[in-house]
Amino acid sequence: MKKITFILLFFLISSNSFSHMGHYKNFNNIEMEILRNGEVIGYNFYFFKRDGNNTTVTNQIKFTVKLFGATVFEVEGYGEEKYNKDQLISYESKTRQNKKNKFVDLKYNKQNNQFEVKGSSYTGLASDDNVIGNWWSHKILQASSQISPISGSIKEQVVTFLGKETITLYGKSYEVEHFKLQSKDMSIPEDKRLDFDVWYDKENSIIRKVTYSRMGEWEYRVKEFN
């Protein structure tokens, strides 16, 4: 009961600090390295472009997992999120995952305040409470569900605040807030499940680091942003 109360109190105190696109008005790019078992295997880059109240965030991701010199898993993809003020109005992505083509084509329907989703894993409507499951946006820590940026599938989630910490990345220390982001239904297959640790730098409005375990220990960490 004490833990639940603490979680609710945190979100009541911090909800105003999570306003969305305004926090990124001075961002041009975020560069994240992707590591597996401590080895850099790829990158996840985000680029911001603005035109009045409209913001476009493009996402480039590429990584390769090799075992004894042979490629066992690889992903390369491109995505584009478009916002009008704080409202997501469209998202498109194309991803090549282990020689399989995956995609998302999402549009916001103003008439019914829902997203129309066409994806390689899901086609249908989705609540506009959903966020795209990319790591540039701290709004993912508020959402009750997210849309896969690769396939369009909808995943309900629970976010738990674990506490404040100090982490060191690339020789610099940062005061951050540590969250656990998990699927609401943890009985679903592991390869479909959300189970992430997320470290959020509130001072700079940026997710500094994300880790998870799946066929090894994975880490996404911000190397540079401006």
Side-chain angles (χ1 to χ4, degrees):
M1 183 66 184
K2 184 178 179 181
K3 184 177 181 181
I4 294 174
T5 302
F6 182 53
I7 295 168
L8 291 175
L9 179 62
F10 169 78
F11 278 110
L12 286 172
I13 292 172
S14 300
S15 60
N16 288 335
S17 71
F18 279 96
S19 61
H20 193 215
M21 296 307 295
H23 281 171
Y24 299 93
K25 63 183 179 181
N26 296 320
F27 278 57
N28 295 311
N29 63 280
I30 300 173
E31 298 182 6
M32 304 185 85
E33 285 190 324
I34 302 174
L35 297 86
R36 178 180 176 272
N37 296 336
E39 178 185 356
V40 177
I41 61 169
Y43 59 81
N44 194 179
F45 295 159
Y46 300 99
F47 302 93
F48 298 78
K49 183 178 179 180
R50 298 165 192 84
D51 181 10
N53 290 326
N54 297 315
T55 303
T56 300
V57 184
T58 56
N59 166 34
Q60 297 176 11
I61 185 169
K62 183 177 182 179
F63 62 83
T64 303
V65 177
K66 293 187 176 183
L67 187 62
F68 304 115
T71 298
V72 295
F73 189 67
E74 61 181 346
V75 168
E76 183 171 5
Y78 175 88
E80 185 176 86
E81 297 172 60
K82 292 186 177 181
Y83 292 84
N84 179 257
K85 297 183 179 179
D86 280 351
Q87 179 61 58
L88 174 66
I89 56 175
S90 70
Y91 173 71
E92 295 182 12
S93 72
K94 293 182 179 180
T95 305
R96 183 76 167 169
Q97 180 176 313
N98 285 356
K99 299 181 180 180
K100 293 183 179 179
N101 293 320
K102 300 193 174 185
F103 69 94
V104 182
D105 183 358
L106 174 151
K107 297 289 190 298
Y108 177 59
N109 187 320
K110 294 183 181 179
Q111 304 301 317
N112 58 17
N113 295 319
Q114 288 184 306
F115 295 128
E116 298 174 348
V117 183
K118 294 180 181 178
S120 49
S121 292
Y122 173 77
T123 296
L125 298 176
S127 167
D128 64 354
D129 291 333
N130 281 280
V131 299
I132 302 298
N134 281 323
W135 294 122
W136 69 268
S137 172
H138 56 53
K139 195 173 182 180
I140 197 171
L141 298 173
Q142 276 190 304
S144 59
S145 61
Q146 62 169 273
I147 297 172
S148 166
I150 294 175
S151 68
S153 61
I154 300 171
K155 302 179 180 181
E156 293 186 299
Q157 65 181 39
V158 175
V159 179
T160 307
F161 175 63
L162 300 180
K164 295 184 178 182
E165 300 177 8
T166 301
I167 61 172
T168 301
L169 296 173
Y170 305 103
K172 295 183 179 180
S173 295
Y174 303 98
E175 300 298 320
V176 293
E177 297 171 344
H178 185 185
F179 295 85
K180 190 73 174 180
L181 188 158
Q182 296 175 296
S183 289
K184 186 175 182 180
D185 179 7
M186 290 296 286
S187 68
I188 62 179
E190 186 176 353
D191 63 338
K192 307 291 184 182
R193 191 187 309 162
L194 304 172
D195 193 4
F196 301 99
D197 282 87
V198 182
W199 287 264
Y200 173 59
D201 176 353
K202 184 164 66 173
E203 181 180 353
N204 293 289
S205 300
I206 193 168
I207 292 174
R208 286 281 178 184
K209 184 172 78 166
V210 180
T211 65
Y212 64 98
S213 298
R214 188 177 299 167
M215 295 189 299
E217 299 301 316
W218 292 72
E219 181 178 346
Y220 285 54
R221 63 189 186 193
V222 173
K223 185 174 183 180
E224 184 178 349
F225 73 95
N226 60 63

